[in-house]
C-alpha cells in the first residue's frame, strides 16, 4: 500500500511578528512524531548549522539546475539567496509514512498547493493589524521604515491567505496551538 495515501503535507505560513514559529514549536513539542521539512538554500551555513539537518546547502549552480529540471515544489529568492523545497524529499517523507510540516511564506505555499492539491495550507494570523503592529514595535529591533514595510507585506499576505484551507488566529498561544492540533487531527482523520 502506498503510505502517502494516509499522510498529508501540512504547510504553515504567517506574517512576520505573528508568532508562527512559537505556535509551531509548541505544536511540535506536543506532537513529537511530526517533523519539520528541510528546505534547500544557497546561503552559506551559519555557525552550528548542519547540512541535511537545518538545510540542504546547495551551490547556486546546483539550485538553478534543480529549477530548470522542475525538481522543486516551491522556490523563491530572498536577499540574493535561493530557498526551496524539493519534491523528491517531500514525497519520500510521505512514502515513508512520516507526518511532515513545511513552514514557508505565502507565495511558496500557494506554489505547493498547485503541485500538491492535497496539501493542507494553514495560515497563522494576527488578531488584528493593530495588534501585530504593537508586537513589531515591541521588539525594538526595526526602524520605522522597516516596520511600515512589514505591515504592507502583511496586508498582501492576508489577501493571499484567503486561498488557504485554514486560518488560526494567534491571540492566545495555547489556544492557537490547540486549534492547530484540532485542524491537523481533523485532516488526518479524513485520510
Amino acid at each position: 500500500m502506498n503510505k502517502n495515501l494516509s499522510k498529508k503535507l501540512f504547510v504553515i505560513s504567517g506574517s512576520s511578528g505573528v508568532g508562527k514559529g512559537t505556535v509551531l514549536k509548541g505544536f511540535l513539542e506536543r506532537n513529537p512524531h511530526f517533523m519539520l521539512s528541510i528546505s534547500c538554500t544557497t546561503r552559506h551555513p551559519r555557525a552550528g548549522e548542519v547540512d541535511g539537518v537545518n538545510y540542504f546547502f546547495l551551490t547556486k549552480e546546483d539550485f538553478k539546475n534543480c529549477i530548470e529540471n522542475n525538481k522543486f515544489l516551491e522556490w523563491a529568492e530572498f536577499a540574493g539567496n535561493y530557498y526551496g523545497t524539493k519534491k523528491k524529499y517531500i514525497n519520500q517523507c510521505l512514502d515513508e509514512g512520516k507526518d511532515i510540516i513545511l513552514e514557508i511564506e505565502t507565495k511558496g505555499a500557494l506554489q505547493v498547493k498547485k503541485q500538491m492539491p492535497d496539501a493542507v495550507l494553514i495560515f497563522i494570523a494576527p488578531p488584528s493589524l493593530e495588534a501585530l503592529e504593537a508586537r513589531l514595535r515591541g521588539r525594538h529591533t526595526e526602524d520605522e521604515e522597516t516596520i511600515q514595510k512589514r505591515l504592507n507585506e502583511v496586508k498582501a499576505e492576508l489577501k493571499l491567505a484567503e486561498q488557504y484551507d485554514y486560518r488560526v488566529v494567534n491571540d492566545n498561544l495555547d489556544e492557537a496551538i490547540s486549534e492547530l492540533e484540532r485542524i491537523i487531527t481533523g485532516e488526518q482523520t479524513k485520510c
Side-chain angles (χ1 to χ4, degrees):
M1 179 178 107
N2 187 346
K3 291 180 186 173
N4 72 356
L5 293 176
S6 63
K7 295 294 176 181
K8 291 184 181 182
L9 173 63
F10 294 92
V11 182
I12 309 290
S13 302
S15 304
S16 175
V18 78
K20 75 177 168 297
T22 305
V23 171
L24 196 48
K25 181 181 177 198
F27 173 84
L28 292 170
E29 286 171 356
R30 292 184 191 180
N31 300 274
H33 59 283
F34 269 86
M35 63 176 280
L36 268 179
S37 173
I38 302 170
S39 297
C40 299
T41 185
T42 59
R43 76 162 173 75
H44 294 291
R46 294 179 183 140
E49 288 184 331
V50 177
D51 184 55
V53 174
N54 304 99
Y55 283 97
F56 296 110
F57 294 98
L58 304 178
T59 65
K60 283 191 178 181
E61 181 181 330
D62 287 341
F63 199 102
K64 288 178 180 178
N65 185 42
C66 288
I67 292 170
E68 290 171 12
N69 289 296
N70 196 29
K71 292 188 177 189
F72 288 112
L73 272 177
E74 58 82 29
W75 66 272
E77 183 180 1
F78 297 105
N81 289 304
Y82 292 93
Y83 297 83
T85 307
K86 282 195 173 181
K87 293 177 192 178
K88 183 178 178 181
Y89 171 77
I90 295 297
N91 287 327
Q92 181 179 346
C93 289
L94 294 172
D95 286 344
E96 291 172 1
K98 295 178 181 173
D99 291 310
I100 189 161
I101 293 177
L102 176 58
E103 180 187 358
I104 55 173
E105 48 79 39
T106 50
K107 289 179 185 172
L110 295 174
Q111 289 179 40
V112 170
K113 190 72 165 179
K114 282 183 183 172
Q115 293 196 54
M116 292 184 77
D118 289 341
V120 179
L121 274 54
I122 305 166
F123 189 80
I124 309 297
S128 67
L129 283 174
E130 294 78 18
L132 181 60
E133 183 174 356
R135 285 182 192 173
L136 291 173
R137 291 188 187 286
R139 289 177 169 182
H140 303 292
T141 57
E142 296 160 335
D143 61 25
E144 184 62 27
E145 182 181 340
T146 304
I147 289 172
Q148 291 304 318
K149 183 180 176 191
R150 287 197 187 277
L151 290 172
N152 287 332
E153 289 172 2
V154 169
K155 290 174 187 171
E157 288 171 334
L158 288 170
K159 196 90 172 129
L160 290 174
E162 293 172 8
Q163 299 175 58
Y164 276 53
D165 300 302
Y166 298 96
R167 181 183 291 212
V168 173
V169 175
N170 185 17
D171 194 15
N172 174 291
L173 180 60
D174 285 333
E175 289 175 15
I177 294 168
S178 294
E179 179 64 14
L180 184 59
E181 285 180 313
R182 279 191 293 277
I183 290 167
I184 290 174
T185 299
E187 283 292 331
Q188 287 179 315
T189 60
K190 289 181 185 179
C191 294

